[in-house]
Structure formats: structure tokens, C-alpha cells
Amino acid sequence: MRKTLTVFVIGAFLLLLSACGGNSSASGSSGDKQKIVIGYFPNLNHAPAMVAIEKQLYEKQLGDDVDVEYQTFPDGGEFMTALAAGEIQGGLVGPGPAMNNYISGVDVEVVAGSSTGGTVVLSRKDSGIKTVDDIKDATFITPGIGCTHDVQYETYMKEAGITSNRTGGQMKHVTGKPAQYTTMFEKGEVDIAAAPEPWGSMLELKEEANVLLDFDEVSFGETLPAAVFVTSSELKEENPELVQKMVDAHKASIDYINEHQDEAIDITIQSIDDITGQKMERDVMESAWKRTNFVYDVDEDTIQEFGDSSFDLQFLKEQPDFSAFVDKSFIEE
């Protein structure tokens, strides 16, 4: 009887643990502490995350009762999968993947901006491509299909009458990690890159790539958020105080970047080196910085226009409605 009772108690305890772990939006726990995981990418547009880590801004906002961890991602698809699974509670991602997943029913909301600009289109120096008129049969690379940089580039090209093989055109589209673009250019594997900074400046200054479309020429270049801070609606509703503290830490990081640019550049160079093994030279990062604005406000009209273009390019199956996609209440606090 005693053995049966012991088995029952252990089983009930395991069921309780299982039930707690099944809540995808709630943060996990480490002992008596909550655990918050912030996701980001090793790109310049995600510098607010790197500076926040260095300055422990999330730790300061969330206090001693919360353990803060960080996770990097190679592309927006993997980031969104982790957010949907409850493996991360928030972080920085391009607006493209966030919108695509929102339309697909994933629980994701934008609660702050992060940066604008930062997308550059370049051609390999020996590709023979000097202007957009030469692009028709070229192979171009972006970080992902339908990602922010892909939509910006393909929107511009479609307006010029040139489309990719995905929609029956001649441009061949491949995807790959931006950190690998330098090697791919050296091997002649791709002709064009729609690259996020600082990888665009790396190609320009170290590979002598031709800048075909600068950040203020590519579609949505100056107004579209290059990265946004997202979380889930479920977490926002269950624990708005926690989300407010996450957004406050993010805002503090952007303020710090704008007030201490030289130090922020040093932090970003070191962080990208730690993650990718690629040490950016300072002239590369300074060039990239000039093409990026760090802001936490969000232009909702541009997001809708970007979504309409994603639909027009067949990245989305339905005309999107992003009227409930952005919640600016946390940045207005």
C-alpha cells in the first residue's frame, strides 16, 4: 500500500511539472526564478540586443527574480519557430518573418521598433553588373525567402519590370547566411546580394562590390523597420508588467546607442565576432552605421504597405490586415 501511494504521489508531481511546461507563452523557471529568453541575430540592425547584453539592461529592468538568457538565430524563420514554441519570450526579428507568421496565425505582436535602413543591394565586382538594368539573368542571394531584405529587393525589381524565377521570372534566387556572402562572392557563386548591414559594407569595402541600391534607394529603405521587437499576445495579456520591463530595457539600449555611438560600435563589432567568428574592421562598421537609424517607434502605415507588397510578390496567400499587428502602448509608457 505504501509503495502504491509513493508511486501515485510521484506520478502526480510529474503530471504537475508536465502541465507547467506545456504553457508555451509563460516563461520557464530556474528554481524560484522566472526565465526570460531574448532572441536576436548577429546583424547591425540587432545592435540594441548586443548593447543591452553588454550593459545588462534587461537584468536591471527585470530584477533579481528573473533569469535572463539570450539566443541568436541565423534567420527569421527559426526565430519565429522558437517564439511559437515558447522557447523565447521576445526579441528582435525582421518585420518580414514576423508579418508572414502573423498572417499564418502565429501568436506574435510588434511592441516596439528597433532600427530602420540597413539594407543594401550589391553586385560582385567581376559579375559585369553595373546597374539594375543588368540584373535580369543574375543569381541573387537574401537571408531567406520572403525575408525583409528579399521583399525590399524584389519589390524594387518588380517595379523595374524584373522578377525572380519563383514567380516565373529569370532572376535566380538562393538563400544563405549574410556572414557567408563574402566567401560566396569570392567563389563567384552569386552575382547580387540584398544584404543587411554590416555585411553590405563588408562586401563594398573588402570585396570591392558595386553598390547598386543604397539603403535610401531600395524599396521602403528609410521608413520600414529593419528590425522590430516582438513578443506573444498571450504573454502580453498574462504578464503586461513583464513585457513593459522588456520594452523599457530595449528602449534604454536604443537611447544608449544614440548617446554613445563610438562605444556602441565597439560592442557590436566584438559581439558579432563572438557569435560568427568574423571580426569587422571599424571602417566597415562605421560605414554600416551611417546606413542605419536606431529608433523604437514603428511606422504602422509602412508595415501595411510592406505587407501589401509581400502579397503582391506571392510571399503571402491572402491580402494582409495588420491593423492589430502593432501595439505601441508599451513604447508610449
Side-chain angles (χ1 to χ4, degrees), residues 1-62:
M1 179 65 184
R2 184 182 182 87
K3 182 177 180 181
T4 301
L5 179 61
T6 299
V7 169
F8 173 78
V9 170
I10 292 175
F13 180 65
L14 291 175
L15 283 173
L16 177 61
L17 288 180
S18 176
C20 291
N23 187 345
S24 62
S25 71
S27 55
S29 63
S30 176
D32 295 331
K33 291 187 175 183
Q34 286 182 298
K35 184 177 76 173
I36 296 298
V37 184
I38 304 294
Y40 68 103
F41 307 170
N43 293 334
L44 172 59
N45 295 330
H46 297 241
M50 302 177 209
V51 171
I53 293 170
E54 178 67 21
K55 297 299 177 182
Q56 297 190 314
L57 298 179
Y58 285 100
E59 289 82 352
K60 291 174 183 175
Q61 283 289 340
L62 293 165

Side-chain angles (χ1 to χ4, degrees), residues 132-143:
V132 292
D133 295 332
D134 304 321
I135 288 176
K136 189 174 181 180
D137 298 317
T139 298
F140 72 98
I141 188 166
T142 67

Side-chain angles (χ1 to χ4, degrees), residues 124-203:
R124 182 166 45 82
K125 64 179 179 181
D126 54 356
S127 65
I129 299 171
K130 301 296 183 183
T131 72
V132 292
D133 295 332
D134 304 321
I135 288 176
K136 189 174 181 180
D137 298 317
T139 298
F140 72 98
I141 188 166
T142 67
I145 297 173
C147 73
T148 307
H149 318 287
D150 189 6
V151 174
Q152 286 185 268
Y153 173 66
E154 292 203 44
T155 297
Y156 184 96
M157 295 310 301
K158 186 171 183 179
E159 291 174 352
I162 304 172
T163 57
S164 75
N165 55 357
R166 182 181 51 81
T167 55
Q170 289 180 275
M171 289 190 301
K172 182 181 178 183
H173 185 198
V174 297
T175 62
K177 297 177 182 177
Q180 299 172 339
Y181 290 0
T182 299
T183 301
M184 300 178 81
F185 264 44
E186 290 174 350
K187 292 181 178 178
E189 295 176 348
V190 294
D191 304 310
I192 305 288
E197 291 288 10
W199 310 108
S201 288
M202 173 72 89
L203 292 173

Side-chain angles (χ1 to χ4, degrees), residues 178-180 182 199 202 269 272-280:
Q180 299 172 339
T182 299
W199 310 108
M202 173 72 89
I269 290 173
I272 290 176
D273 183 26
D274 292 341
I275 297 166
T276 68
Q278 286 189 265
K279 184 85 170 182
M280 293 283 173

